[in-house]
């Protein structure tokens, strides 16, 4: 199987080169100053004493294809919020996930909730770009970056008062993530190179990051409340980023409520 992550990163580089020609950093910073709907993503999770759901809005993925034919980001966001989402994750990568940065702005205009721009951040420029659409948090994928790149993007996000989820897939990446003291750490159960999934990835990697002072999140492959409960009982993790199982459920609101009740 081709390395999906490498393909996405190469496409992202090409796309960014085009965007940079149209939007200067100065214009993005001006746009940021005109917005008034930013919220503290990290604090929302820290302040929530129960299960925190970061409910994800995405139209498609490389592993699953089109998730929803009748995709309406505003309706999905309202449903997630009405059923107890602590934060939202919005896929903004356009080619492989059919996302848009505009989705963040649209949702923020109607709802007061912290939002993660779920994308492949490879350039500090993307921080101002994403914040100019209203995001409160960005994703830093260790597997997609070398050390200097990760440091630059992290520092730029902190400078812009954004929360950062540092995403890891194995124990080596988890050890690297520990240096980002103010970040949230997301443990991805999906191997981004092969797209294979195992929720036991959270269990094994948790041992490396369990003393990190920021919130720890289990991401991907969590199909139902039994999966979440298994992770919670093994690690004590109470924060879950869940997308496909909610988006493809016949009753996503009911499933969300079952997730939220796993520690009761």
């Amino acid at each position: 199987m081709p390395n999906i992550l490498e393909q996405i990163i190469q496409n992202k580089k090409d796309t960014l080169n085009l965007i940079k020609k149209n939007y200067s950093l100065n214009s993005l910073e001006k746009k940021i100053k005109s917005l008034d709907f930013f919220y503290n993503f990290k604090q929302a999770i820290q302040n929530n004493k129960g299960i925190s759901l970061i409910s994800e809005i995405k139209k498609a993925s490389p592993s699953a294809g089109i998730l929803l034919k009748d995709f309406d980001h505003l309706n999905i966001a309202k449903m997630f919020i009405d059923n107890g989402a602590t934060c939202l994750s919005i896929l903004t990568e356009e080619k492989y996930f059919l996302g848009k940065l505009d989705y963040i702005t649209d949702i923020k205009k109607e709802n007061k909730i912290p939002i993660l721009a779920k994308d492949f951040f490879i350039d500090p420029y993307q921080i101002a770009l994403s914040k100019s659409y209203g995001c409160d948090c960005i994703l830093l994928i260790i597997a997609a970056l070398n050390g200097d790149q990760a440091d630059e993007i992290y520092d730029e996000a902190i400078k812009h008062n954004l929360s950062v989820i540092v995403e890891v897939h194995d124990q080596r990446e988890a050890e690297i993530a520990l240096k980002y003291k103010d970040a949230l750490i997301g443990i991805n159960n999906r191997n981004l190179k092969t797209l294979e999934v195992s929720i036991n990835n959270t269990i094994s990697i948790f041992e490396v990051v369990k003393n990190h002072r920021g919130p720890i999140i289990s991401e991907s492959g969590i199909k139902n409340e039994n999966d979440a409960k298994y992770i919670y009982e093994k690690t004590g993790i109470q924060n879950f980023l869940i997308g496909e199982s909610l988006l493809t459920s016949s009753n996503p609101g009911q499933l969300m409520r079952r997730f939220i009740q796993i520690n009761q």
Side-chain angles (χ1 to χ4, degrees):
M1 177 180 283
N3 187 324
I4 300 297
L5 181 59
E6 287 181 3
Q7 292 179 11
I8 294 172
I9 295 304
Q10 185 55 54
N11 179 73
K12 180 59 63 176
K13 289 177 182 177
D14 296 340
T15 302
L16 277 176
N17 287 334
L18 294 173
I19 294 173
K20 285 179 177 181
K21 291 178 181 178
N22 294 320
Y23 300 98
S24 69
L25 264 178
N26 187 48
S27 69
L28 295 177
E29 297 292 356
K30 284 183 178 178
K31 186 180 174 188
I32 289 168
K33 289 178 181 177
S34 73
L35 303 179
D36 62 355
F37 47 43
F38 294 110
Y39 310 107
N40 192 318
F41 188 101
K42 178 182 173 182
Q43 193 174 76
I45 291 175
Q46 288 176 318
N47 289 350
N48 185 19
K49 303 306 180 187
I51 299 297
S52 289
L53 288 186
I54 304 166
S55 301
E56 187 159 276
I57 297 175
K58 61 181 174 183
K59 186 172 183 178
S61 76
S63 59
I66 299 289
L67 295 167
L68 286 174
K69 291 181 180 178
D70 298 322
F71 179 84
D72 186 317
H73 57 290
L74 289 173
N75 286 344
I76 297 168
K78 184 178 186 306
M79 181 272 295
F80 282 160
I81 293 166
D82 288 348
N83 286 284
T86 306
C87 303
L88 298 180
S89 168
I90 311 296
L91 253 296
T92 60
E93 194 281 330
E94 295 197 351
K95 180 174 181 179
Y96 293 87
F97 293 86
L98 305 183
K100 291 182 181 179
L101 280 163
D102 289 314
Y103 292 160
I104 297 176
T105 310
D106 293 345
I107 292 167
K108 278 290 192 74
K109 285 178 179 177
E110 297 191 8
N111 305 278
K112 294 182 178 181
I113 190 166
I115 292 180
L116 163 69
K118 185 86 173 286
D119 211 322
F120 295 81
F121 285 80
I122 58 170
D123 187 321
Y125 172 87
Q126 291 171 272
I127 301 301
L129 176 65
S130 297
K131 186 167 182 178
S132 74
Y133 284 84
C135 83
D136 306 290
C137 182
I138 64 106
L139 188 71
L140 195 160
I141 303 173
I142 294 293
L145 304 163
N146 64 42
D148 290 342
Q149 285 177 312
D151 291 348
E152 288 176 8
I153 292 168
Y154 176 81
D155 291 343
E156 190 72 8
I158 296 300
K159 188 176 84 174
H160 278 79
N161 295 314
L162 293 174
S163 299
V164 180
I165 297 177
V166 177
E167 182 175 283
V168 302
H169 302 81
D170 58 34
Q171 295 192 358
R172 183 192 68 82
E173 293 172 6
E175 289 167 0
I176 293 170
L178 290 172
K179 73 175 180 176
Y180 301 109
K181 303 292 186 184
D182 292 319
L184 306 89
I185 293 180
I187 303 175
N188 197 334
N189 297 310
R190 176 175 283 112
N191 183 319
L192 287 186
K193 296 175 181 177
T194 66
L195 302 183
E196 294 174 351
V197 176
S198 171
I199 60 171
N200 282 307
N201 207 38
T202 291
I203 313 302
S204 60
I205 292 177
F206 177 73
E207 288 304 308
V208 179
V209 300
K210 62 183 179 183
N211 293 322
H212 180 68
R213 70 185 184 189
I216 298 171
I217 304 161
S218 182
E219 309 172 0
S220 300
I222 302 164
K223 295 183 175 63
N224 52 47
E225 69 273 20
N226 294 328
D227 285 349
K229 190 170 185 178
Y230 172 76
I231 293 168
Y232 170 72
E233 289 178 345
K234 293 284 186 181
T235 65
I237 290 173
Q238 297 191 112
N239 313 307
F240 300 93
L241 193 155
I242 303 174
E244 289 181 18
S245 62
L246 294 178
L247 292 167
T248 59
S249 170
S250 59
N251 194 332
Q254 184 183 79
L255 182 56
M256 286 181 69
R257 293 191 293 275
R258 294 205 303 266
F259 277 123
I260 290 169
Q261 292 170 357
I262 64 168
N263 65 342
Q264 296 176 7

